[in-house]
């Protein structure tokens, strides 16, 4: 029986980092950018400054294009790299494969070649195996490898792992795209410095990044960052074709200026990661909670007794992950507090007592 | 010779209504919506309230879907109506045909059948003429008529004109889409009331509207409004496929709540229209400025002496419209003031003296 | 060591039923149709007659559209059923998923949702499981189930199995497409009569069939057969959009008239099936040849000693199936003879001795 | 009144060159190719020989890919050249724009930028004018110029005209595609030699040709000929994706081997052209028949008295061209005879008497 005397639910639940609002500095920056007229479509000074900040992060040959959301960033990135009868190699759990309503297939016009993984991470050997499709005129030709960092399963590639994938991809004539909807969380997990960021992106040989801002404190701000300007040449047109060219771009740029300044985005992600670690500690000894592993970024995927899932999620909402396995997802956000963690863990413990 | 002693340029130029920022009420609403966690992807209370407000505007059978921009709204609307081997009938000057980087062809997967017009307005007779393509297996089948209200040429359809187009379209088995990137300006021009809005939309037989918020004071907020819920059934999935599903939707909804409340959007558009009328009065007697007609909404398309265009636009920026004809576009915004108009007109007069 | 004294290779190898030529009756029909002028694009008398023959096969409410190849038939069929943000459910080994160079994703504009199977056959339970995607706005919506009959793995659905799939699909609001590139072989396997054909198609609830002619003796002739005319309404336009509208259609129709008359297509397929059965008998006791099962239609998938595969296929060409598993494919055709089988089996036996 | 005593209609009408059958040599070649097994998908000896013949025609760096029809050839050619957010520049009367049911927009995923012409022929100045779109991020980027030779309006580009277009296209960074559905007729019109063919194709700077065989005596045979092999690199995959990879390709190759041998294709086209010239002579003095110009290839576009069009076309079928203008199309074929011309002209004369 689910207890009727549940403790107070946390102020901020563990459903999704998309449930969080925006960091005050982001909103302040938008308010501050709302002064008079400014050129549209990216010719404004805010966008100019943010493009320069991205070049500081990723080097002088990089080029960032601002967009609104992750699907838009991914589709813009892929459509600028893929030609007809080519395909994108990714994991079976990749966001582009599972959660973008077919936008890649429709807009990029390409098949996704999905490979199974236990942990959301591709390995070079899997990529090498698709070589047998190269030159086969009946099959789409592998053109891009797309990996997610941190992955949809809460794991993180090391810089060495990304570099090995990039090597394999490049040797096979493919590009490497990195879906960084949670790039901030991965960066925090791998050291939390700009050098760490560079180690698994530009230094590792990544060609283009979907750089996420929304989940880590923006209202709606993502970027497609080309680490090689040559690939960005046609990307401005592709962005518009993807419907992702903001007219009043200064307001997207202002969000990024706030987030990127003083590495706020990394610090916010570090908090989310830390709260996930605390949650893991707080629940891992609760009888009935089974966890395959501790969190590398900001999500846990616990298995719970079947009958407790629905009432517990009514108490403090979270999503199912794998219904058949009674597996759910608990996710922290940039604004999750130790008190939120403590209250949520207390509720879980009480419900399973 | 372009004079060196030009007067002070206006604070807000006449380049585009996209150069304007957001109305303070819109920004305030975003700030106010930034409280704690809220469900993502439209399950939040702000979105719920805005959907209800749209139903007040367009009737209980209507359904609004929030998106970020006009191209996104148009593509979502069209993709939910068009099937393979069908086409969209529109004017040669339609935004979907000229200024969306091929997004409709790519994402909708459809040809646009463009018809010439002197003033950006289709007439029923033109639409009727495409009937000879119906049933011709070599030709895409006309499925949707798309008109823009107010048009890309600054004109406005009367309610009767829209109704006649809707009748023709429906008799031919086609839907009617209305690209309302400047719906507010058209509404203001046709009376400025909600009844006026309804007269040329739901009452006239329009099937789906791209409802513009950005140009009239939002940061980035548009809606696809289905006047017949049945057509909206699959639209949620199409919106995601178009990359236009905002994760933190409350912030888009908040913008609309501010704009739609107390008809702010209409009043702001009315100001833009009025400023265009004032500008017309202020420049129409200047020798060298030739205008085909007075403005119906918020734009003028003057012909200027060729040599003055570039230096004048350097003084206060505006866009060319038709380079070969020395025609430019002057556009007012929701925040244009009488002083902006006076200063700009004075500069034009001085430059042409 | 591969023996140097291999016996004479068969006249007709076991590489593919696409390696076979056309049945003489088919070529004779093309020659006979080459008389003077005839209306193009299907308004000719040959096409009219063949459409009538297809109605005899599949009932008065059916409608056949002639095309050139299987990919064209599949894409035409699917594109006429699928709308934006929808998907097609099929097996991981489906021809549409593996061997059509991304044509479905590109032209239909849809994701393929591929499900694993041991034998190339979907079961209703698998289809039922995709129900959890229905209504999820982040996911393409399942619109069509596509099964292959006989399958790419040489198996055959019983009429009851197809009916159960159709029931499930229809209850879930989906259509059922049947890729019948080897429909003739399946028909022969299930009794070899028109009643048998109807039992697993129109009687079982299939909505649209890709009806294969090429592999069973045509030069290049396939048909998309809609069992419900309403679904065919827009298919003529879709066929043209898919590039599959033959201008001199009488020559495609003539091929089908020859094949369908007197059930020649079924008899030719029966021969292919029988030769595969003979081959199975002739090789199944050869040490080193491992077979999971006997053939249901016209293909075997033996595992061979790794070192013999390449030289044996140089002696009489055949394709690898799964390189990692040393599995190959041996396929019979409409014109394979007992002597071909005997010679090939003798060669295999000699090579493995 | 339409006369009741019309003379005997011609054996072969003037509706379309698609109404003609195949030349006997083509059918004989197909019959002859139907011997035993041969590798599928182009690895056969017939295809090898035809590819060599095409290299003789167009030079050692050229590469031909065989397909079934003109829409397939055009879409394959364009899809191998165009990337996302790019467009194809062509005439308003281009077959790709008017008669391919949106296949280019759908499969290539690109907008067609159509330009008006009086005679179906682009001029370099028109192409140069699209330069103002280059670099405009709101507009698809011009990537390919597609011209038709001979045109849909029965005219022919001179070699100099094609070269001037190629120069302009290349200077603007665009490719030149030549839709040669009636390449044979154009070749015949420009001298009827292989040197003539080369003068307006490879020598003029064309990048890729849709080489038509069907209208000039094939059953169904076209080729995409890349004059620069580098562009052909990915074309094999694109051909499959376009649904245009014939499995039993030897039968397409055999058709081309018959047509290309001894320049039969040019001689057949020359007959069609000559018959059109004879028809022009035979009808141009008939009162009521108005012709803007004599034929350059195999079609006339006469204006007729409105009331005679329908009964005359019932007597010997032909198509309307422009209903509003009472303009029709009379087209000769490779097999049209002087007797056909004489009888048809006599009928027209009698009907208009």
């Amino acid at each position: 029986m689910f207890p009727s005397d549940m403790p107070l639910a946390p102020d901020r639940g563990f459903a999704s980092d998309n449930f969080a609002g925006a960091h005050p500095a982001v909103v302040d920056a938008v308010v501050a950018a709302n002064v008079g007229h400014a050129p549209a479509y990216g010719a404004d000074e805010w966008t100019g400054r943010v493009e320069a900040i991205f070049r500081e992060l990723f080097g002088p040959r990089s080029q960032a294009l601002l967009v609104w959301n992750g699907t838009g960033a991914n589709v813009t990135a892929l459509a600028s790299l893929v030609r007809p009868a080519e395909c994108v190699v990714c994991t079976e759990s990749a966001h582009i494969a599972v959660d973008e309503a077919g936008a890649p297939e429709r807009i990029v016009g390409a098949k996704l070649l999905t490979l199974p993984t236990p942990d959301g991470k591709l390995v070079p050997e899997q990529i090498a195996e698709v070589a047998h499709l190269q030159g086969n005129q009946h099959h789409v030709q592998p053109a891009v490898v797309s990996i997610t960092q941190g992955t949809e399963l809460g794991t993180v590639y090391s810089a060495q792992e990304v570099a090995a994938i990039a090597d394999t991809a490049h040797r096979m004539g493919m590009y490497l795209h990195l879906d960084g909807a949670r790039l901030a969380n991965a960066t925090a997990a791998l050291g939390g410095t700009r050098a760490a960021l560079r180690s698994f992106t530009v230094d590792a040989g990544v060609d283009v990044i979907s750089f996420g801002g929304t989940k880590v404190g923006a209202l709606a701000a993502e970027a497609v960052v080309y680490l090689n300007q040559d690939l960005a040449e046609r990307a401005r047109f592709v962005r518009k074709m993807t419907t992702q060219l903001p007219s009043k771009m200064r307001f997207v740029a202002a969000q990024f200026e706030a987030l990127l300044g003083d590495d706020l985005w990394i610090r916010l992600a570090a908090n989310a990661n830390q709260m996930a670690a605390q949650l893991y500690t707080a629940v891992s000894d609760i009888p009935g909670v089974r966890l395959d592993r501790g969190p590398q970024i900001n999500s846990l995927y616990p298995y719970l007794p079947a009958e407790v899932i629905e009432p517990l999620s009514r108490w403090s909402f979270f999503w199912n992950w794998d219904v058949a396995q009674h597996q759910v997802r608990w996710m922290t956000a940039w604004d999750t507090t130790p008190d939120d963690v403590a209250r949520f863990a207390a509720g879980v413990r009480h419900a399973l007592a």
Side-chain angles (χ1 to χ4, degrees), chain A residues 143-172:
Chain A
V144 180
V145 173
S146 177
I147 60 175
T148 310
Q149 171 80 321
T151 76
E152 295 81 1
L153 299 182
T155 53
V156 174
Y157 291 92
S158 71
Q160 291 75 11
E161 288 172 331
V162 175
I165 289 173
D167 276 359
T168 302
H170 293 162
R171 267 189 288 108
M172 295 171 67

mmCIF file of all heavy atoms in Angstrom, chain A residues 143-172:
data_model
loop_
_atom_site.group_PDB
_atom_site.id
_atom_site.type_symbol
_atom_site.label_atom_id
_atom_site.label_comp_id
_atom_site.label_asym_id
_atom_site.label_seq_id
_atom_site.Cartn_x
_atom_site.Cartn_y
_atom_site.Cartn_z
ATOM 1 N N ALA A 143 27.873 8.832 -43.718
ATOM 2 C CA ALA A 143 28.514 10.126 -43.940
ATOM 3 C C ALA A 143 28.861 10.845 -42.643
ATOM 4 O O ALA A 143 29.776 11.651 -42.602
ATOM 5 C CB ALA A 143 27.601 11.024 -44.776
ATOM 6 N N VAL A 144 28.097 10.588 -41.613
ATOM 7 C CA VAL A 144 28.289 11.290 -40.345
ATOM 8 C C VAL A 144 28.098 10.294 -39.206
ATOM 9 O O VAL A 144 27.177 9.488 -39.233
ATOM 10 C CB VAL A 144 27.264 12.431 -40.158
ATOM 11 C CG1 VAL A 144 27.480 13.139 -38.830
ATOM 12 C CG2 VAL A 144 27.344 13.431 -41.303
ATOM 13 N N VAL A 145 28.984 10.361 -38.224
ATOM 14 C CA VAL A 145 28.728 9.696 -36.946
ATOM 15 C C VAL A 145 28.219 10.762 -35.989
ATOM 16 O O VAL A 145 28.800 11.841 -35.894
ATOM 17 C CB VAL A 145 30.013 9.069 -36.378
ATOM 18 C CG1 VAL A 145 29.773 8.521 -34.974
ATOM 19 C CG2 VAL A 145 30.533 7.979 -37.301
ATOM 20 N N SER A 146 27.114 10.475 -35.328
ATOM 21 C CA SER A 146 26.576 11.418 -34.341
ATOM 22 C C SER A 146 26.584 10.745 -32.968
ATOM 23 O O SER A 146 25.981 9.692 -32.789
ATOM 24 C CB SER A 146 25.150 11.827 -34.715
ATOM 25 O OG SER A 146 24.616 12.687 -33.727
ATOM 26 N N ILE A 147 27.306 11.355 -32.045
ATOM 27 C CA ILE A 147 27.299 10.859 -30.670
ATOM 28 C C ILE A 147 26.715 11.927 -29.764
ATOM 29 O O ILE A 147 26.716 13.110 -30.110
ATOM 30 C CB ILE A 147 28.714 10.463 -30.181
ATOM 31 C CG1 ILE A 147 29.659 11.684 -30.221
ATOM 32 C CG2 ILE A 147 29.279 9.329 -31.020
ATOM 33 C CD1 ILE A 147 31.046 11.396 -29.634
ATOM 34 N N THR A 148 26.210 11.521 -28.608
ATOM 35 C CA THR A 148 25.615 12.460 -27.661
ATOM 36 C C THR A 148 26.504 12.524 -26.438
ATOM 37 O O THR A 148 26.933 11.494 -25.919
ATOM 38 C CB THR A 148 24.202 11.995 -27.268
ATOM 39 O OG1 THR A 148 23.464 11.705 -28.454
ATOM 40 C CG2 THR A 148 23.482 13.078 -26.485
ATOM 41 N N GLN A 149 26.773 13.748 -25.985
ATOM 42 C CA GLN A 149 27.702 13.934 -24.863
ATOM 43 C C GLN A 149 27.133 14.960 -23.911
ATOM 44 O O GLN A 149 27.017 16.139 -24.304
ATOM 45 C CB GLN A 149 29.066 14.394 -25.417
ATOM 46 C CG GLN A 149 30.098 14.835 -24.414
ATOM 47 C CD GLN A 149 30.819 13.668 -23.739
ATOM 48 O OE1 GLN A 149 30.188 12.657 -23.422
ATOM 49 N NE2 GLN A 149 32.100 13.810 -23.491
ATOM 50 N N GLY A 150 26.781 14.643 -22.642
ATOM 51 C CA GLY A 150 26.516 13.375 -22.074
ATOM 52 C C GLY A 150 25.345 12.683 -22.746
ATOM 53 O O GLY A 150 24.429 13.315 -23.247
ATOM 54 N N THR A 151 25.400 11.371 -22.672
ATOM 55 C CA THR A 151 24.446 10.570 -23.433
ATOM 56 C C THR A 151 23.040 10.605 -22.840
ATOM 57 O O THR A 151 22.830 11.047 -21.708
ATOM 58 C CB THR A 151 24.893 9.096 -23.488
ATOM 59 O OG1 THR A 151 24.611 8.498 -22.215
ATOM 60 C CG2 THR A 151 26.365 8.964 -23.809
ATOM 61 N N GLU A 152 22.123 10.049 -23.622
ATOM 62 C CA GLU A 152 20.730 9.948 -23.189
ATOM 63 C C GLU A 152 20.584 8.969 -22.031
ATOM 64 O O GLU A 152 19.534 8.918 -21.388
ATOM 65 C CB GLU A 152 19.853 9.503 -24.366
ATOM 66 C CG GLU A 152 19.767 10.505 -25.510
ATOM 67 C CD GLU A 152 20.959 10.443 -26.454
ATOM 68 O OE1 GLU A 152 21.854 9.605 -26.241
ATOM 69 O OE2 GLU A 152 20.986 11.239 -27.399
ATOM 70 N N LEU A 153 21.616 8.175 -21.770
ATOM 71 C CA LEU A 153 21.559 7.231 -20.657
ATOM 72 C C LEU A 153 22.389 7.711 -19.475
ATOM 73 O O LEU A 153 22.676 6.950 -18.552
ATOM 74 C CB LEU A 153 22.029 5.843 -21.119
ATOM 75 C CG LEU A 153 21.185 5.232 -22.237
ATOM 76 C CD1 LEU A 153 21.706 3.845 -22.596
ATOM 77 C CD2 LEU A 153 19.722 5.154 -21.817
ATOM 78 N N GLY A 154 22.789 8.983 -19.512
ATOM 79 C CA GLY A 154 23.462 9.554 -18.350
ATOM 80 C C GLY A 154 24.939 9.256 -18.258
ATOM 81 O O GLY A 154 25.563 9.500 -17.226
ATOM 82 N N THR A 155 25.503 8.729 -19.328
ATOM 83 C CA THR A 155 26.931 8.419 -19.326
ATOM 84 C C THR A 155 27.709 9.497 -20.077
ATOM 85 O O THR A 155 27.127 10.370 -20.724
ATOM 86 C CB THR A 155 27.181 7.040 -19.967
ATOM 87 O OG1 THR A 155 26.544 7.025 -21.247
ATOM 88 C CG2 THR A 155 26.586 5.939 -19.109
ATOM 89 N N VAL A 156 29.027 9.417 -19.976
ATOM 90 C CA VAL A 156 29.902 10.437 -20.553
ATOM 91 C C VAL A 156 31.049 9.752 -21.290
ATOM 92 O O VAL A 156 31.618 8.778 -20.796
ATOM 93 C CB VAL A 156 30.462 11.357 -19.432
ATOM 94 C CG1 VAL A 156 31.488 12.334 -20.000
ATOM 95 C CG2 VAL A 156 29.332 12.119 -18.754
ATOM 96 N N TYR A 157 31.358 10.255 -22.481
ATOM 97 C CA TYR A 157 32.547 9.797 -23.200
ATOM 98 C C TYR A 157 33.767 10.506 -22.625
ATOM 99 O O TYR A 157 33.733 11.722 -22.409
ATOM 100 C CB TYR A 157 32.474 10.177 -24.677
ATOM 101 C CG TYR A 157 31.454 9.463 -25.513
ATOM 102 C CD1 TYR A 157 30.178 9.991 -25.688
ATOM 103 C CD2 TYR A 157 31.778 8.287 -26.182
ATOM 104 C CE1 TYR A 157 29.242 9.363 -26.502
ATOM 105 C CE2 TYR A 157 30.844 7.651 -27.009
ATOM 106 C CZ TYR A 157 29.576 8.194 -27.153
ATOM 107 O OH TYR A 157 28.657 7.574 -27.958
ATOM 108 N N SER A 158 34.859 9.785 -22.442
ATOM 109 C CA SER A 158 36.115 10.455 -22.123
ATOM 110 C C SER A 158 36.658 11.117 -23.382
ATOM 111 O O SER A 158 36.244 10.784 -24.504
ATOM 112 C CB SER A 158 37.145 9.445 -21.608
ATOM 113 O OG SER A 158 37.577 8.618 -22.680
ATOM 114 N N ALA A 159 37.588 12.042 -23.180
ATOM 115 C CA ALA A 159 38.200 12.696 -24.340
ATOM 116 C C ALA A 159 38.857 11.667 -25.246
ATOM 117 O O ALA A 159 38.808 11.762 -26.477
ATOM 118 C CB ALA A 159 39.218 13.731 -23.871
ATOM 119 N N GLN A 160 39.472 10.655 -24.634
ATOM 120 C CA GLN A 160 40.131 9.620 -25.432
ATOM 121 C C GLN A 160 39.117 8.840 -26.256
ATOM 122 O O GLN A 160 39.368 8.491 -27.414
ATOM 123 C CB GLN A 160 40.908 8.647 -24.517
ATOM 124 C CG GLN A 160 42.129 9.248 -23.852
ATOM 125 C CD GLN A 160 41.770 10.195 -22.700
ATOM 126 O OE1 GLN A 160 40.614 10.247 -22.267
ATOM 127 N NE2 GLN A 160 42.740 10.953 -22.228
ATOM 128 N N GLU A 161 37.971 8.571 -25.655
ATOM 129 C CA GLU A 161 36.943 7.825 -26.388
ATOM 130 C C GLU A 161 36.414 8.627 -27.578
ATOM 131 O O GLU A 161 36.190 8.078 -28.656
ATOM 132 C CB GLU A 161 35.798 7.452 -25.434
ATOM 133 C CG GLU A 161 36.196 6.363 -24.443
ATOM 134 C CD GLU A 161 35.139 6.125 -23.360
ATOM 135 O OE1 GLU A 161 34.401 7.091 -23.007
ATOM 136 O OE2 GLU A 161 35.055 4.987 -22.856
ATOM 137 N N VAL A 162 36.214 9.910 -27.358
ATOM 138 C CA VAL A 162 35.747 10.739 -28.482
ATOM 139 C C VAL A 162 36.811 10.785 -29.572
ATOM 140 O O VAL A 162 36.502 10.666 -30.774
ATOM 141 C CB VAL A 162 35.399 12.162 -28.009
ATOM 142 C CG1 VAL A 162 35.038 13.047 -29.206
ATOM 143 C CG2 VAL A 162 34.264 12.136 -27.002
ATOM 144 N N ALA A 163 38.059 10.940 -29.159
ATOM 145 C CA ALA A 163 39.143 11.018 -30.151
ATOM 146 C C ALA A 163 39.238 9.735 -30.969
ATOM 147 O O ALA A 163 39.462 9.776 -32.192
ATOM 148 C CB ALA A 163 40.470 11.304 -29.459
ATOM 149 N N ALA A 164 39.035 8.608 -30.315
ATOM 150 C CA ALA A 164 39.104 7.334 -31.040
ATOM 151 C C ALA A 164 37.956 7.226 -32.044
ATOM 152 O O ALA A 164 38.132 6.719 -33.157
ATOM 153 C CB ALA A 164 39.072 6.169 -30.045
ATOM 154 N N ILE A 165 36.796 7.700 -31.648
ATOM 155 C CA ILE A 165 35.653 7.690 -32.576
ATOM 156 C C ILE A 165 35.919 8.635 -33.739
ATOM 157 O O ILE A 165 35.647 8.308 -34.900
ATOM 158 C CB ILE A 165 34.363 8.073 -31.821
ATOM 159 C CG1 ILE A 165 33.964 6.935 -30.882
ATOM 160 C CG2 ILE A 165 33.246 8.398 -32.796
ATOM 161 C CD1 ILE A 165 32.812 7.279 -29.962
ATOM 162 N N ALA A 166 36.442 9.812 -33.427
ATOM 163 C CA ALA A 166 36.736 10.770 -34.497
ATOM 164 C C ALA A 166 37.743 10.192 -35.478
ATOM 165 O O ALA A 166 37.591 10.316 -36.699
ATOM 166 C CB ALA A 166 37.257 12.079 -33.901
ATOM 167 N N ASP A 167 38.763 9.555 -34.951
ATOM 168 C CA ASP A 167 39.767 8.929 -35.822
ATOM 169 C C ASP A 167 39.122 7.923 -36.756
ATOM 170 O O ASP A 167 39.368 7.921 -37.964
ATOM 171 C CB ASP A 167 40.820 8.199 -34.970
ATOM 172 C CG ASP A 167 41.910 9.140 -34.496
ATOM 173 O OD1 ASP A 167 41.860 10.340 -34.845
ATOM 174 O OD2 ASP A 167 42.806 8.668 -33.764
ATOM 175 N N THR A 168 38.323 7.047 -36.179
ATOM 176 C CA THR A 168 37.660 6.025 -36.993
ATOM 177 C C THR A 168 36.764 6.664 -38.041
ATOM 178 O O THR A 168 36.786 6.296 -39.220
ATOM 179 C CB THR A 168 36.846 5.082 -36.088
ATOM 180 O OG1 THR A 168 37.730 4.504 -35.133
ATOM 181 C CG2 THR A 168 36.172 3.999 -36.900
ATOM 182 N N ALA A 169 35.975 7.616 -37.606
ATOM 183 C CA ALA A 169 35.050 8.273 -38.540
ATOM 184 C C ALA A 169 35.826 8.929 -39.676
ATOM 185 O O ALA A 169 35.495 8.760 -40.864
ATOM 186 C CB ALA A 169 34.199 9.303 -37.792
ATOM 187 N N HIS A 170 36.851 9.668 -39.334
ATOM 188 C CA HIS A 170 37.600 10.392 -40.362
ATOM 189 C C HIS A 170 38.322 9.435 -41.306
ATOM 190 O O HIS A 170 38.357 9.676 -42.512
ATOM 191 C CB HIS A 170 38.579 11.369 -39.698
ATOM 192 C CG HIS A 170 37.888 12.483 -38.975
ATOM 193 N ND1 HIS A 170 38.497 13.252 -38.022
ATOM 194 C CD2 HIS A 170 36.614 12.961 -39.068
ATOM 195 C CE1 HIS A 170 37.635 14.154 -37.569
ATOM 196 N NE2 HIS A 170 36.501 13.989 -38.174
ATOM 197 N N ARG A 171 38.884 8.373 -40.757
ATOM 198 C CA ARG A 171 39.536 7.400 -41.634
ATOM 199 C C ARG A 171 38.559 6.784 -42.622
ATOM 200 O O ARG A 171 38.918 6.431 -43.747
ATOM 201 C CB ARG A 171 40.202 6.291 -40.810
ATOM 202 C CG ARG A 171 41.679 6.588 -40.503
ATOM 203 C CD ARG A 171 42.378 5.410 -39.877
ATOM 204 N NE ARG A 171 41.953 5.194 -38.508
ATOM 205 C CZ ARG A 171 41.182 4.208 -38.081
ATOM 206 N NH1 ARG A 171 40.774 3.285 -38.936
ATOM 207 N NH2 ARG A 171 40.839 4.110 -36.807
ATOM 208 N N MET A 172 37.281 6.689 -42.209
ATOM 209 C CA MET A 172 36.264 6.133 -43.095
ATOM 210 C C MET A 172 35.601 7.204 -43.953
ATOM 211 O O MET A 172 34.610 6.932 -44.651
ATOM 212 C CB MET A 172 35.215 5.398 -42.259
ATOM 213 C CG MET A 172 35.767 4.172 -41.539
ATOM 214 S SD MET A 172 34.569 3.480 -40.354
ATOM 215 C CE MET A 172 33.302 2.881 -41.499
#
